[in-house]
Amino acid sequence: DMQSKALNYGSHHELLELVESKLVGSNVNNVSAETLLQLEKHLETALSVTRAKKTELMLKLVENLKEKEKLLKEENQVLASQMEKNHHVGAEAEMEISPAGQISDNLPVTLPLLN
């Protein structure tokens, strides 16, 4: 219904031209009540069409942002699991026991000092 009304009234530029043609050529005091009512109806319809289009665009934007949020959350979970995995691997490497029975800090094995 709104689309058919939008097609009937065209662009806002055309609507402004309609208003100007009704009002500019004559004194505002000489404009009939019916002409003013018609203009009011045209303006209300144009406003309704504009609001409907704005709402549609805003809903699409919200939907796109929700999808982007979902993708970012998934990526965040993947990165968090990778960090957790790397943390466990690093902790296991730090806790390796060297052949001498001591805990190694992943330092290269050196020969004992001679006295």
Side-chain angles (χ1 to χ4, degrees):
D1 186 39
M2 286 293 177
Q3 288 180 341
S4 65
K5 286 182 181 180
L7 293 175
N8 289 337
Y9 297 113
S11 69
H12 293 290
H13 181 68
E14 291 172 2
L15 186 61
L16 287 174
E17 287 177 358
L18 175 67
V19 171
E20 288 176 356
S21 69
K22 299 288 184 183
L23 295 178
V24 173
S26 62
N27 187 348
V28 176
N29 294 330
N30 294 335
V31 176
S32 70
E34 184 163 330
T35 301
L36 290 174
L37 288 172
Q38 287 175 349
L39 287 174
E40 181 180 19
K41 185 176 179 180
H42 287 299
L43 290 171
E44 285 175 352
T45 303
L47 183 61
S48 295
V49 169
T50 302
R51 285 182 176 156
K53 183 66 175 174
K54 178 183 172 186
T55 301
E56 179 185 333
L57 292 173
M58 294 298 283
L59 290 173
K60 284 181 183 179
L61 178 63
V62 168
E63 192 62 36
N64 288 340
L65 289 173
K66 284 182 180 180
E67 183 65 28
K68 187 175 182 179
E69 177 188 25
K70 179 183 171 188
L71 293 173
L72 288 172
K73 282 182 178 182
E74 289 173 1
E75 184 179 359
N76 190 29
Q77 288 176 343
V78 168
L79 292 172
S81 67
Q82 286 177 351
M83 285 184 62
E84 185 71 24
K85 183 179 175 182
N86 288 343
H87 177 72
H88 286 303
V89 169
E92 288 174 4
E94 287 179 10
M95 298 301 288
E96 287 180 358
I97 298 178
S98 67
Q102 299 176 344
I103 295 178
S104 158
D105 288 326
N106 279 344
L107 297 175
V109 177
T110 59
L111 296 174
L113 293 175
L114 298 174
N115 289 335

